[in-house]
Amino acid sequence: NGPFTLAPGDTQEIVFGLLIVKGTSNVNSVTVLKIIDRLSQNVYDNDFRFIPISVQSISLPPRPASPSVQFGEYDKAISLYWLESQNIENYNQIGTLSYKDTLTNLTYQTYLTYIFEGYIIYQLDSPVNPSIVKQIGVYDIPNGITIVTDWIYDTKRKIYIVDTLVRGRDSGLKRYIEIKWDYITDSPLENNKTYYFAVSSYAVNTAGDNRYGVPVFYESDLRIISATPRHKIPSASPGDTIRATHIQGKSEGEVFGIVIDPSKLTGHTYRINFEYVNGSIAWKLTDVSDNVVKLSGMFNQSGDDNYPVIDGIQFKVINPLPGPKDWVWTGTRKLTWANADIMTNFGLPEHL
């Protein structure tokens, strides 16, 4: 810090640091930046020798909940699917960390924010105490957080090393997967052989550091599922499309169903209706045969894979393309616009 006086011919060494961090939100990013700034200053004050902190206490939040997964068994194939859960996908929990700066001997407290990031699909080699736990799919929120790393203790070398825990791709959330491959033996699934899978939800604290007991990656428990491919002759196959009949209105939106689990098909008739919810257009799904509303307050009309699976079917409602359907121009009408006469300066007409 200045000011300082320089005589002719003198030199002065100036040290500066550029700190860039990304937290889980705009507010959390400021919190993380303050922590990094404090630690950086301490490192400078100690002649660039790392100053470890002494953790006084840690209070981690409850772990994310595990998805409730259903499965279907088919000819050399398995499907896993689970319903949307606000309890899981709205996960935003805060813990606390109290630590002492060993240089200044001052104690600080900071908040640990964990936010839901996505789902992970695993294949395991056993339903009890598995020795192989292999990630075979990640469906994560498209927010720039993809590959998640953290410090992991290497018991052989007895040191902490950086390891990759999740390989996200900003793919967007999905709640089903069809599996035809054994990722442990690297071969196709076989009928009448039992395989083991699990689906977890996970959250991330980008300011975490597992060396101090604050993990970056925070995952739900694994509930292992046993599933056996079987040769069947179903009335439908996974991936089959069920087209809807448009019975009322002039919308050019599209409604259809994709068969995810043929074993759960009911043969019932379903109806999609639209309604206003909090001033926005939503849709609901009714099982007409049983007169039961299966879904309501659904806003997704993007056509992506973020739709729930009901009775073995993923129902998709898709908005029509924006813009007018068609137009006709007759007679001598002309189109013009504000300050159109300026266009004549560029050799363009002032009307069409």
Side-chain angles (χ1 to χ4, degrees):
N1 293 330
F4 51 84
T5 302
L6 283 177
D10 281 355
T11 60
Q12 175 68 45
E13 185 181 87
I14 300 175
V15 179
F16 69 94
L18 182 62
L19 307 179
I20 302 175
V21 299
K22 179 180 179 181
T24 54
S25 67
N26 56 338
V27 176
N28 178 253
S29 294
V30 174
T31 301
V32 177
L33 182 61
K34 289 180 179 179
I35 296 173
I36 299 301
D37 174 68
R38 187 183 305 129
L39 293 176
S40 300
Q41 183 65 49
N42 289 345
V43 170
Y44 171 78
D45 293 342
N46 199 46
D47 197 21
F48 292 99
R49 293 191 297 271
F50 178 70
I51 306 300
I53 63 175
S54 174
V55 175
Q56 304 298 297
S57 63
I58 299 175
S59 177
L60 294 175
R63 287 189 173 274
S66 301
S68 180
V69 181
Q70 301 181 64
F71 64 93
E73 302 169 323
Y74 319 110
D75 185 22
K76 299 179 182 179
I78 297 291
S79 69
L80 308 177
Y81 57 98
W82 53 100
L83 289 177
E84 177 180 2
S85 169
Q86 297 300 314
N87 181 43
I88 292 176
E89 296 181 13
N90 287 342
Y91 181 90
N92 186 333
Q93 297 290 325
I94 296 177
T96 57
L97 166 67
S98 177
Y99 66 93
K100 179 181 291 186
D101 184 322
T102 58
L103 182 64
T104 64
N105 211 35
L106 296 176
T107 299
Y108 301 93
Q109 179 171 291
T110 187
Y111 294 104
L112 313 173
T113 304
Y114 289 89
I115 299 177
F116 170 77
E117 181 61 25
Y119 297 104
I120 304 174
I121 300 91
Y122 294 94
Q123 183 180 353
L124 309 93
D125 65 340
S126 171
V128 180
N129 298 323
S131 59
I132 300 176
V133 180
K134 191 176 184 66
Q135 288 185 18
I136 64 174
V138 178
Y139 300 144
D140 57 334
I141 296 173
N143 58 2
I145 300 175
T146 54
I147 296 177
V148 179
T149 62
D150 200 359
W151 293 91
I152 302 298
Y153 190 71
D154 187 323
T155 56
K156 293 183 178 180
R157 290 185 282 178
K158 300 186 184 305
I159 59 172
Y160 278 97
I161 60 173
V162 175
D163 195 11
T164 298
L165 305 180
V166 183
R167 293 187 179 274
R169 297 178 299 141
D170 274 355
S171 60
L173 294 182
K174 287 176 58 176
R175 301 184 191 87
Y176 75 91
I177 184 173
E178 184 179 9
I179 304 168
K180 297 183 178 181
W181 196 258
D182 183 342
Y183 292 89
I184 293 179
T185 63
D186 198 24
S187 60
L189 296 187
E190 301 176 13
N191 285 339
N192 304 314
K193 178 181 178 180
T194 301
Y195 298 88
Y196 309 102
F197 302 97
V199 179
S200 72
S201 69
Y202 73 99
V204 168
N205 173 12
T206 56
D209 189 326
N210 197 48
R211 292 173 297 181
Y212 303 109
V214 182
V216 174
F217 174 70
Y218 210 43
E219 188 178 24
S220 68
D221 294 331
L222 296 186
R223 297 178 179 176
I224 301 176
I225 296 167
S226 302
T228 306
R230 310 174 191 277
H231 181 67
K232 299 180 181 179
I233 306 178
S235 57
S237 300
D240 285 355
T241 300
I242 302 173
R243 293 291 170 182
T245 301
H246 191 168
I247 60 175
Q248 185 178 354
K250 298 180 179 180
S251 172
E252 292 189 329
E254 189 176 5
V255 175
F256 60 92
I258 299 176
V259 176
I260 302 298
D261 185 355
S263 67
K264 299 294 192 301
L265 298 180
T266 63
H268 291 185
T269 299
Y270 299 88
R271 183 180 66 238
I272 300 287
N273 292 95
F274 293 89
E275 57 189 357
Y276 278 98
V277 176
N278 296 326
S280 299
I281 296 178
W283 56 273
K284 68 177 181 180
L285 172 72
T286 303
D287 182 333
V288 177
S289 301
D290 283 344
N291 194 28
V292 174
V293 175
K294 293 284 190 172
L295 294 171
S296 62
M298 307 301 294
F299 294 100
N300 187 11
Q301 298 183 46
S302 66
D304 61 13
D305 291 317
N306 193 11
Y307 291 82
V309 177
I310 300 295
D311 296 340
I313 303 172
Q314 184 182 54
F315 292 88
K316 289 194 174 186
V317 178
I318 304 176
N319 261 331
L321 294 175
K325 174 183 176 181
D326 201 355
W327 58 278
V328 177
W329 190 342
T330 61
T332 59
R333 293 181 176 87
K334 296 180 179 181
L335 296 179
T336 187
W337 47 87
N339 300 320
D341 57 323
I342 297 177
M343 303 304 292
T344 59
N345 296 330
F346 301 95
L348 298 174
E350 67 179 44
H351 61 261
L352 299 174

